[in-house]
Amino acid sequence: MHPLFDTKNSPRLVWAGVAVVALTLLVLPFALAQIGTTWVRITNYAILYVLLALGLNIVVGFAGLLDLGYIAFYAVGAYTYALLASPHFGLHLPFWAILPIGALVAAFFGVLLGAPTLKLRGDYLAIVTLGFGEIVRIFLNNLSRPVNLTNGPQGVTGIDPFSLGDFSFARSETFLGLTFSGPIKYYYLLLAVMVGILALNVRLQDSRIGRAWEAVREDETAARAMGINTTHMKLLAFAMGATFGGVAGGMFSAIQGFISPESFILVESILVVSMVVLGGMGNIWGVVLGAVLLSFVPEILRWTVEPMQRALFGHMLVEPEVIRMLIFGFALVLIMLYRPAGLLPSAVRKRELARDDDAA
Amino acid sequence: MTTTLLEARKVEKRFGGVQALADVSFSIRRAEIYGLIGPNGAGKTTLFNVLTGIYAADAGGFMFDGAPLDGLGPHQVAARGIARTFQNIRLFANLSVLENVMIGRHVRTRAGVIGAVLRGPRTRAEEAGIERRATELLDYVGIRGRANDRAGSLPYGDQRRLEIARALATEPKLLALDEPAAGMNPAERAALGRLIEAVRRDGVTILLIEHDVRLVMNICDRVLVLDYGERIAEGPPPEVQKDPKVIEAYLGAPHAA
Ligand SMILES: Nc1ncnc2c1ncn2[C@@H]1O[C@H](COP(=O)(O)OP(=O)(O)OP(=O)(O)O)[C@@H](O)[C@H]1O
Ligand SMILES: [Mg+2]
């Protein structure tokens, strides 16, 4: 554990810290709404990325299986929701029924990817998973004929927002003098889901299952000799990771109200992998940090690069998008150079990188 | 319960043109320390790999504790009660020493995803038990003081001991050790010999591959000698040592290292 979270030595301090963080997260959307509702939306997408990064961390960080097609599970969750709650098929199932279905379908796809790749590792696995992600996207693009299943590149529109009886997540409401806009309502829902999934990850990591994943990652042959069914553990990792991706996808669908295959391109998979690696593979808090940073920094750059150029030169010299990617890429390279195990490395990765010191 | 724990029946294994094991038969009694020796490339490690399910035998097979091992994968063999160490140490090098042994408890514990997430009283009790047992085993092999160190950072001899502790954590009936004394100094070897005898006294049968003649002579009840995959002798160490075929395999044959 990171000393920051050493609950054994200073429980008071930790609880105080938790209280501060919790309070901040609770008032955050209202503070953001002051700047503009866009920022609440951006935060919501950031939380979705946190969910994705946490899911991918199970596969990559815990079990050590490099997956470059992870966004496919997000797509599966998103399309499951979209098809069951939109005018496309005229189905309008409630979200609490679809989210578990989406999670299950995604888990099924996780096993579908996991089963044929059990014998693969490292680069080979990366290539196959990359292909898998592309195949799913291509299917989404083309499953509009002969039966119109996905509506092809046009995507699915008019997706139902979450609602419970009369309570809709799309409407603004005033309660106790506070205006709860749609995005703010979603924010609280996302926050709750994130806390739940975080707790799940923390528990899993420090358990018999978490240790078995570590064993698989470290040495598969030794793991098997110790009685670990590595086939099982790998499929479990793929399925669990996919489940979280599926849940995130369903929420994405509802929040956005519109989805198309465009949202699930390879770059998205790579972005999520970057979040995991940059934050600290295998360290849950590092992964959260990575996802938050990589979600917000580009947005902040988007909102500052253009005004700054106008102020400095009177007109735009370089497209914000270009500068944004440039700064972004440069920052990534720097971080990987100076913190190769990520911003908050896991205990294991720290030990791994300290190996040379041990030998000396 | 019969006195025989493991019986090999005409086990055969080829790798392309190499006959790594040819019709090898033997049986090991309960609570015995059974040595397996032979020149380099004789097929000793291959025998371990076939026994533990890493490779499938081309013909023949093993009876273990009254039932065949045929077709079982390594994890199933471990569940049946065979644990092993590796000639080229295979620890979970980046994990802590304690975690390594805790992972050995996997096969004798139950908590699944739901148990892990809910962490009810039963899971908590199980976790506490895993840690307790792992610590005991570190104590048993004499490296408890290194519990929180990175496994790969231990000196060679301690890594071998850790591998034994990890194997013992699976509660084996048979412990198969592949050259556990390799890379140890004489004092460490003597201590290892005492450790192996202690394990046997606790009721675990030992199958020991070892090049160190002194260690084999001192602790093994019986020894099997392989050469080019074939069984050339078996018996108590002093007899085997005098066997002309064994002497030839080790000294006369040009392939002996
Ligand atoms: N996976 C494999 N593929 C091909 N050949 C193999 C394989 N494993 C072992 N062999 C061959 O089988 C023969 C027996 O090897 P094995 O490792 O069992 O010998 P050993 O008795 O353990 O020797 P050593 O004392 O050097 O450890 C050797 O000729 C070896 O090259
Ligand atoms: Mg060998």
Side-chain angles (χ1 to χ4, degrees), chain B residues 77-129:
Chain B
V77 173
R80 285 283 306 278
I82 300 180
R84 69 173 290 182
T85 65
F86 294 87
Q87 182 171 354
N88 49 337
I89 303 178
R90 297 192 84 130
L91 288 168
F92 305 119
N94 296 308
L95 306 185
S96 77
V97 167
L98 183 67
E99 278 173 307
N100 267 270
V101 187
M102 286 173 78
I103 288 169
R105 294 298 297 151
H106 181 91
V107 70
R108 302 292 168 221
T109 47
R110 314 250 319 260
V113 170
I114 294 176
V117 169
L118 299 181
R119 197 171 291 184
R122 215 165 121 176
T123 309
R124 265 178 287 152
E126 187 181 274
E127 278 291 301

Side-chain angles (χ1 to χ4, degrees), chain A residues 183-206:
Chain A
I184 291 185
K185 286 184 188 168
Y186 274 122
Y187 169 85
Y188 285 113
L189 182 68
L190 283 164
L191 191 63
V193 171
M194 182 181 79
V195 169
I197 286 185
L198 264 174
L200 225 98
N201 274 273
V202 171
R203 286 264 165 108
L204 268 180
Q205 181 168 33
D206 181 24

Side-chain angles (χ1 to χ4, degrees), chain A residues 37-271:
Chain A
T37 305
T38 323
W39 284 97
V40 183
R41 286 213 183 83
I42 290 171
T43 308
N44 286 350
Y45 287 122
I47 298 179
L48 284 175
Y49 276 117
V50 170
L51 300 184
L52 286 178
L54 284 172
L56 183 63
N57 184 47
I58 291 186
V59 184
V60 180
F62 292 179
L65 305 161
L66 185 50
D67 182 353
L68 289 185
Y70 183 69
I71 212 69
F73 306 123
Y74 192 48
V76 167
Y79 268 87
T80 306
Y81 185 88
L83 298 181
L84 295 177
S86 74
H88 182 62
F89 288 136
L91 291 171
H92 296 280
L93 302 186
F95 79 91
W96 48 263
I98 311 179
L99 278 190
I101 296 175
L104 274 180
V105 176
F108 170 76
F109 272 81
V111 174
L112 204 67
L113 168 65
T117 56
L118 281 169
K119 293 229 148 63
L120 303 178
R121 290 218 132 232
D123 325 5
Y124 299 98
L125 181 62
I127 288 172
V128 174
T129 53
L130 188 149
F132 175 81
E134 285 302 280
I135 289 169
V136 168
R137 191 181 57 82
I138 291 166
F139 264 99
L140 293 175
N141 251 325
N142 292 286
L143 281 179
S144 50
R145 275 168 303 138
V147 184
N148 188 358
L149 201 63
T150 62
N151 209 26
Q154 284 89 26
V156 183
T157 51
I159 301 168
D160 300 346
F162 286 179
S163 61
L164 253 182
D166 283 341
F167 183 84
S168 167
F169 279 83
R171 242 190 346 255
S172 267
E173 244 157 304
T174 308
F175 183 69
L176 295 176
L178 289 171
T179 308
F180 285 80
S181 62
I184 291 185
K185 286 184 188 168
Y186 274 122
Y187 169 85
Y188 285 113
L189 182 68
L190 283 164
L191 191 63
V193 171
M194 182 181 79
V195 169
I197 286 185
L198 264 174
L200 225 98
N201 274 273
V202 171
R203 286 264 165 108
L204 268 180
Q205 181 168 33
D206 181 24
S207 75
R208 174 172 174 269
I209 302 292
R211 282 192 301 271
W213 278 331
E214 282 187 324
V216 170
R217 187 191 59 212
E218 287 285 311
D219 187 330
E220 230 178 295
T221 304
R224 277 192 291 164
M226 289 303 112
I228 293 169
N229 186 339
T230 52
T231 304
H232 247 135
M233 293 314 303
K234 287 199 213 172
L235 289 181
L236 181 65
F238 272 119
M240 298 244 8
T243 303
F244 295 156
V247 170
M251 301 185 81
F252 171 71
S253 226
I255 292 173
Q256 178 117 318
F258 155 78
I259 55 165
S260 76
E262 276 287 279
S263 305
F264 311 105
I265 51 178
L266 176 63
V267 173
E268 291 289 314
S269 281
I270 295 189
L271 182 62

Side-chain angles (χ1 to χ4, degrees), chain B residues 4-71:
Chain B
T4 303
L5 179 66
L6 178 75
E7 190 185 352
R9 294 175 174 168
K10 295 182 175 267
V11 177
E12 192 145 341
K13 182 73 195 171
R14 295 186 139 273
F15 294 108
V18 179
Q19 183 85 40
L21 292 172
D23 254 3
V24 176
S25 299
F26 62 89
S27 61
I28 303 179
R29 300 179 199 125
R30 284 174 202 276
E32 183 171 34
I33 299 182
Y34 191 84
L36 176 56
I37 63 170
N40 291 112
K44 306 179 295 292
T45 299
T46 302
L47 184 84
F48 269 34
N49 287 338
V50 175
L51 170 66
T52 55
I54 290 180
Y55 299 143
D58 293 332
F62 294 94
M63 283 291 287
F64 178 70
D65 205 16
L69 293 177
D70 305 341

